[in-house]
Amino acid sequence: MTAEPRAVPETFAFTCGDCGHCWEATFQLMFFTDPTDTTGLTTQEYVDEEGKALRSPLADAICPKCGGRTVHVLEAGLAARARRAEHEPRPPHEHHEHRLHLPHRHSGPPEDDTR
């Protein structure tokens, strides 16, 4: 008989290396402890939003847009910030004249290179 598992929600952000799609997903990290096991070992399992058990969302990630497997894990919230940055209009900015930067001259007497 196993004790009731406890769950901890974890949110991951992903980006597809094939098509550039960004998304976030929340998983329940389930911890199982067998009360008859005297060593107190705990096993863990990820469960996705649909209730499907996964080995690890980090190892088994598949892009929901293109089906690509070149998926990178990001800090949670980063995908949403990237998506906003792509779609929000940028405020206008003023262009300034760029001036050529010349090397600085030394204020002392010229050096003698005839040595």
Side-chain angles (χ1 to χ4, degrees):
M1 177 179 204
T2 58
E4 194 64 30
R6 50 187 185 97
V8 176
E10 285 194 4
T11 301
F12 295 99
F14 302 92
T15 183
C16 179
D18 296 329
C19 71
H21 178 64
C22 296
W23 73 99
E24 287 189 5
T26 300
F27 301 87
Q28 295 297 320
L29 181 55
M30 308 291 289
F31 295 95
F32 299 92
T33 304
D34 186 349
T36 61
D37 185 358
T38 58
T39 62
L41 289 176
T42 302
T43 57
Q44 66 185 37
E45 185 175 87
Y46 285 95
V47 178
D48 67 10
E49 294 167 334
E50 297 162 358
K52 180 180 146 194
L54 303 171
R55 182 176 55 136
S56 168
L58 308 180
D60 295 335
I62 298 171
C63 177
K65 186 174 180 183
C66 74
R69 292 190 166 270
T70 311
V71 176
H72 306 283
V73 180
L74 307 171
E75 171 189 340
L78 192 59
R81 288 194 310 250
R83 206 172 14 257
R84 277 195 310 273
E86 286 178 359
H87 300 291
E88 285 182 355
R90 293 185 180 170
H93 64 279
E94 206 174 303
H95 287 275
H96 299 283
E97 177 184 346
H98 295 278
R99 296 189 179 168
L100 180 64
H101 296 280
L102 298 174
H104 296 282
R105 293 190 168 186
H106 297 287
S107 59
E111 294 182 18
D112 185 14
D113 291 340
T114 58
R115 292 181 204 182

